[in-house]
Amino acid sequence: MSADPTKFKVARTIRLKSIGLCIARLPQTERLFVGGSDFKVYEINLTAENPEPIEFQGEGHQSYVTGAAMVGQQLVTSGYDGRLIWWDVEQRVPCRNVIAHERWIRKVVASPDGRRIATVADDMLCKVWNADTGDLLLTLVDHKPMTPHHFPSMLYAVAFSTDGLFLATGDRVGHVVIWEVASGKKLSEVEAPVMYTWDPKQRRHSIGGIRSVAFSRDGRRVAAGGIGTIGNIDHLDGPSRVEIFDLQVGQRVQEISDTTYKGLVEQIAFPVSESWGIFGGGDNGGFISFYDTETGKPLHQSKMPMHVHAFVLNDAEDTLYAAGHNQLAVAEFKAEANEEQKLDPAAATTGN
Amino acid sequence: MALFDARLRAPIDPGVSRRGFLGSSVMASTAAFAANMRVLDALQTPTLAAELKRQHKSVILLWLAGGASQLETWDPKPGRLTGGPFRAISTDIPSVQISELLPKMAQRMKTTAIIRSLNTRNGDHGGGTVLMETGRAKEAAVDYPDLGALIARELGRADSQVPDYVSLYSETEGRHKGGPGFLGARYAPMFLTESMIPPNIRRLDSISETDHQDRAAFQKLLARRFIDKHSNPSVASHGMAYERVRGLMSSESLFDINQEPQSARDFYGPTQFQEQCLVARRLVEAGVPFVKVARAWWDSHGQNFETHRELCADLDQGMSALLDDLGQRGLLENTLVLTFGEFGRTPQINASLGRDHFANAWSASLSGCGIKGGAVYGKTDADGQTVVEGEVKAGDLFATIFSAVGIDPTKEYHVGARPIPIVDFGCQPIKDILA
């Protein structure tokens, strides 16, 4: 084991010019790519002497950049302008620009083999694309365009299973759908309605929604993250919330509602080599929480210097890079080296 | 009748409005009218032609309670860090763009003017609400009437059997009744909060319709005999009060949108706000001079963009349907439709992706009666932080509203011996947006 959640600490922060809404990392490197509220994409190379954000050039997004994923050596970003853009990360210029959705794209993710990408948008469609050619492969239709209260709904979250065979999508009213990637067939659905707070009396609008989904390592479970019931929906003043569903029986098996750190769970990750999950998000502040997903108990929780909109892990899964409100944060949670590793430092980096 | 009060809070007699002066019930009140300081008011009575111009004009205020974001409605700043993610879209006026969240209103700017330069300086819900309801800051010595009461007094008909001022506020957050202030209870709003149908106006089941009508006829007979022997304004006012109650009891159907064909209801939409817009049209069509439809709650400290996606969709559908319907019925030229709340929202986006209270540079819209459609008045800087052109105060907005419906904005009331201008001192109508 190379990671220890109890050792979690923010090692450094880097100022961003705008709100960092998404982040990707080139494998085997510390080259990070961040998209944000200034419509731009930046590279931050942590191995550089002075790791300042370097702006990508060329015709980029026309609105918030809300998704980032690596496909091989290329970066793909999505935005509220409905576009998918492939970038040459060496030249830092766009190499393909696709009008992908009619409304805001909330997220883009890459399949584990890098051959496909999936997008979700407020047109309530999930689309699967050929990562190499940019061709549309599938359009997945199930999420309702309107909420039960006659307002436009939103489709926030998407994730591939670790084997790349399945997709999960989650929307504003708490509807989660599991899809078979090869056929585009809907396999199952589960509901997390507590993620959606409708205020019928005081303010007469809604807040919340499923903001993150993730499959467990074995693909048997799916976790959905968001926020619990909010009393005053003017603010994100509700418990951060994750619900974990067993897909074999179609039932919820864990309900993690946390008032220690309130707000939205914007991202969930299940490290390959560990038995716990990492949740990140926030309200006006931010948090990273480690939970034992079998017991639903917190292992470690930490306040972050900003609301966390997205994070990625390093290859060893003992360092986390978070993009958020005007900052990028690097946090480490490395296990202390045992005697054998102290004698042979190389052994400490082979945990993956 | 004594008009003086040590705290200058005594209501003035409502029976002396200009409309009342010209109306059928004026004779009875003329003596009292001339016997007090309000004669100054009478001396400013405009010509009969101007009076007639005002006839049957109405105002509908779509009150955006909690404070809607000007950046997500009438004053977008696309491409700026403060601008948020929404685009600006073209409208049916080539030089004017508004937020993409109002696509239907974008096609109706020919009937709408925008003020982008409100600087009201009060970012507190309570203080901002009073300011934007009355057109001036709260003052301990004077209980100022709100816009609805002022319009009711100036445009209401003394012989009207429908309410002069109806206020719909269904949500509980930020609910504020407003009121007639020194104008007196005659101009208080019919305040509907729990239902769109006024409570307690139905005839009791224990009284038959025949009995009800017979009782009314008997009351009229007795009142007429009494007036013949004791004619004075108080008695006339008493009789009018009965007439208004009878009018209200018979106006229940006005509030009932089930009286509308399904196609009309579909045209407005299914949400509560959209249904209330339909009620507003029914009311002004029946002669109600002021209707306020409050849509709460825009106070988006967290998740501003999601909140505005919902609430702007509601507003865009309800408001555009209202303007179309009024236009098709020939009512828009005599009906002024307004949108504003207590303030706008900060250009700065906070860590919850929200916007906070902001009163230094925000927007309002005015559509229909007396308005130069397509006009945009005032300008904010590139980030929307400050007004750089044509600063507008609350009183200026009120003066513009009064001018648009033919009310003299230089008019004065008198509370005791103190002259009270209908708009705050030094405020002027914005002529650039008046037709």
Side-chain angles (χ1 to χ4, degrees), chain B residues 249-428:
Chain B
M249 290 182 71
S250 63
S251 69
E252 179 181 344
S253 63
L254 276 180
F255 296 86
D256 184 4
I257 59 170
N258 290 313
Q259 307 280 332
E260 292 284 333
Q262 189 60 44
S263 59
R265 297 184 62 175
D266 292 343
F267 185 68
Y268 276 82
T271 70
Q272 185 179 69
F273 170 73
Q274 292 156 7
E275 289 185 340
Q276 289 173 339
C277 286
L278 175 53
V279 170
R281 189 273 289 162
R282 288 174 63 82
L283 292 174
V284 299
E285 189 172 40
V288 177
F290 189 87
V291 183
K292 176 178 175 180
V293 180
R295 187 16 168 144
W297 179 246
W298 297 73
D299 198 21
S300 50
H301 295 286
Q303 302 286 287
N304 173 75
F305 308 119
E306 263 79 356
T307 298
H308 279 74
R309 189 180 275 289
E310 285 196 338
L311 295 183
C312 285
D314 204 13
L315 174 66
D316 192 44
Q317 171 60 32
M319 184 178 179
S320 61
L322 177 62
L323 295 183
D324 286 359
D325 197 9
L326 290 169
Q328 287 161 14
R329 290 166 187 270
L331 296 170
L332 189 56
E333 64 184 271
N334 285 319
T335 306
L336 176 63
V337 180
L338 309 166
T339 69
F340 58 87
E342 62 263 47
F343 43 61
R345 305 213 74 81
T346 51
Q348 188 74 25
I349 298 163
N350 68 30
S352 297
L353 296 184
R355 296 190 192 271
D356 302 310
H357 303 174
F358 189 65
N360 294 352
W362 59 289
S363 301
S365 76
L366 305 89
S367 307
C369 179
I371 294 300
K372 187 190 293 180
V376 174
Y377 185 81
K379 191 176 174 185
T380 52
D381 64 30
D383 287 323
Q385 303 276 12
T386 58
V387 171
V388 295
E389 206 174 288
E391 182 173 296
V392 171
K393 299 188 287 292
D396 300 322
L397 174 62
F398 272 49
T400 308
I401 292 166
F402 292 140
S403 295
V405 294
I407 299 169
D408 180 2
T410 66
K411 178 187 171 78
E412 288 184 345
Y413 298 122
H414 281 76
V415 178
R418 177 177 171 178
I420 306 284
I422 193 169
V423 297
D424 206 0
F425 294 98
C427 293
Q428 300 287 331

Side-chain angles (χ1 to χ4, degrees), chain A residues 63 103 203-204 206 211 234, chain B residues 85 295-296 302-303 309-310:
Chain A
S63 189
R103 302 196 72 169
R203 297 167 177 84
R204 207 165 186 87
S206 73
R211 303 305 180 98
D234 297 350
Chain B
R295 187 16 168 144
Q303 302 286 287
R309 189 180 275 289
E310 285 196 338

Side-chain angles (χ1 to χ4, degrees), chain B residues 5 14 27 43 55 73 77 155 160 165 191 194 218 224 228 244 248 268 285 311-312 333 351 357 381 397 404 406 430:
Chain B
D5 180 285
M27 295 305 182
L43 293 175
Q55 298 292 329
T73 51
K77 301 289 182 187
L155 300 186
S160 172
Y165 175 6
F191 194 50
E194 300 302 318
F218 187 54
R224 200 159 46 240
D228 287 346
R244 289 179 60 75
L248 289 178
Y268 276 82
E285 189 172 40
L311 295 183
C312 285
E333 64 184 271
H357 303 174
D381 64 30
L397 174 62
I430 306 167

Side-chain angles (χ1 to χ4, degrees), chain B residues 130-170:
Chain B
V130 170
L131 175 63
M132 296 311 296
E133 278 183 348
T134 63
R136 58 186 103 205
K138 193 170 184 176
E139 190 179 323
V142 182
D143 188 10
Y144 289 111
D146 70 9
L147 179 65
L150 291 165
I151 295 289
R153 179 168 192 257
E154 298 302 319
L155 300 186
R157 299 206 317 259
D159 59 346
S160 172
Q161 295 205 353
V162 295
D164 288 329
Y165 175 6
V166 176
S167 176
L168 297 129
Y169 201 137
S170 300

